[in-house]
Amino acid sequence: MFSILVFCVGCEWQLKPNTADVADDAIVIDRYDRVESQYLSTGDLAALQQMTTAYPKQTRMLIEDMLLIGKVDDPDINTKFLHFFQDSTLQTLLVDVQKQYEEIDDINDELTEAFNRLKEELPGIEFPHIYTQVGSFDQSVVVGDHSLGISLDKYLGSDYPFYLENYTEDQRRMMVRKMIVPDCLSFYILSLYPLPDDEEFVQHSRNLHMGKIQWVVNQVMKRDVFQNEHVDSTERLMRKHKEMTINQLLSTKNLQ
């Protein structure tokens, strides 16, 4: 479990969180993407300074683990980072993300409801710090040290032009606003209950484990977000073992 309980706070351009009207159990996404976009769109050095001082972990993960363009302490890394996003497709992406996600109160509310429901099933959990960023169409949600990073570039809608040219219909169906909260839940639960490391039937074990996680997400979301044979298998299992807790379901292998 996480050792520190961290709630993310709202972030305006000057990074002054406004929590006066935020309930103690509310999740408010930290808008790292706004500072990032400011720098990548204009080269604003003030924005770069805010990225490196207020968001050092997020910036390191973005540059080193997602974009793979070097180390944050490389002498020319800021130039590389800025140059990487000068591609016309990525510049359009930065604009489109800010347009589509100018307001995210609906996502904040849904995250708060979902994580509080999850906490009812798993009382010992602590909420992660949740922030938004812009990647380069690679990972949707990244899990770091007590944090979840939502890459808004992966949630621009199934008919987004770049998606139509580069992703299948099944993939595009999942690249929509309503999948942000289910994906956050899935990756968060997976970080608490990692995939089994079986030497035999590895893929089968992985599929079963993910089916369990997706079944839990469906219950928390109160809708059938994920529908597949492994989710159906978990549903039958839970009907058979009515007294089983969510923790037992996710912790135990080879349940029949």
Side-chain angles (χ1 to χ4, degrees), residues 193 209 212 237 244 247-255:
Y193 299 89
H209 190 67
K212 293 177 183 180
L237 180 67
M244 184 184 301
N247 180 60
Q248 291 171 331
L249 170 69
L250 297 172
S251 302
T252 308
K253 296 191 295 182
N254 302 320
L255 287 169

Side-chain angles (χ1 to χ4, degrees), residues 1-7 115-128 146 188 192-193 245-247:
M1 297 296 176
F2 297 138
S3 59
I4 302 175
L5 176 62
V6 180
F7 288 93
F115 270 89
N116 277 289
R117 288 194 205 108
L118 182 63
K119 194 173 181 68
E120 291 177 5
E121 299 294 339
L122 300 171
I125 67 171
E126 298 177 354
F127 294 172
H146 310 299
Y188 175 69
L192 300 178
Y193 299 89
T245 66
I246 297 300
N247 180 60

Side-chain angles (χ1 to χ4, degrees), residues 8-105:
C8 55
V9 294
C11 171
E12 297 300 330
W13 170 234
Q14 295 299 321
L15 297 177
K16 297 179 179 178
N18 179 9
T19 58
D21 299 320
V22 177
D24 290 339
D25 60 351
I27 292 177
V28 182
I29 296 172
D30 195 343
R31 296 301 303 268
Y32 171 66
D33 68 289
R34 289 179 173 171
V35 186
E36 177 193 355
S37 294
Q38 181 73 13
Y39 174 62
L40 296 175
S41 299
T42 67
D44 188 336
L45 294 181
L48 176 62
Q49 183 179 11
Q50 297 216 15
M51 288 180 64
T52 56
T53 58
Y55 298 98
K57 293 181 180 179
Q58 292 87 340
T59 301
R60 178 180 294 275
M61 185 176 294
L62 176 63
I63 289 175
E64 297 184 357
D65 300 328
M66 293 185 63
L67 302 180
L68 303 175
I69 58 175
K71 301 294 184 181
V72 292
D73 53 359
D74 289 346
D76 60 346
I77 193 61
N78 297 333
T79 301
K80 284 184 178 180
F81 183 39
L82 187 62
H83 180 73
F84 183 89
F85 271 88
Q86 295 314 299
D87 175 87
S88 59
T89 298
L90 295 181
Q91 283 293 306
T92 299
L93 168 66
L94 294 171
V95 174
D96 292 341
V97 164
Q98 295 308 309
K99 285 181 178 178
Q100 284 204 31
Y101 289 94
E102 180 180 2
E103 297 293 339
I104 60 170
D105 287 348

Side-chain angles (χ1 to χ4, degrees), residues 6-11 26-32 55 58 104 107-108 110-112 115 127-133 141-142 145-151 180-181 184-185 188:
V6 180
F7 288 93
C8 55
V9 294
C11 171
I27 292 177
V28 182
I29 296 172
D30 195 343
R31 296 301 303 268
Y32 171 66
Y55 298 98
Q58 292 87 340
I104 60 170
I107 302 174
N108 288 329
E110 192 174 22
L111 276 169
T112 297
F115 270 89
F127 294 172
H129 172 260
I130 302 179
Y131 65 95
T132 47
Q133 63 185 354
V141 176
V142 293
D145 182 18
H146 310 299
S147 67
L148 285 176
I150 304 167
S151 296
I180 289 179
V181 176
C184 284
L185 289 170
Y188 175 69

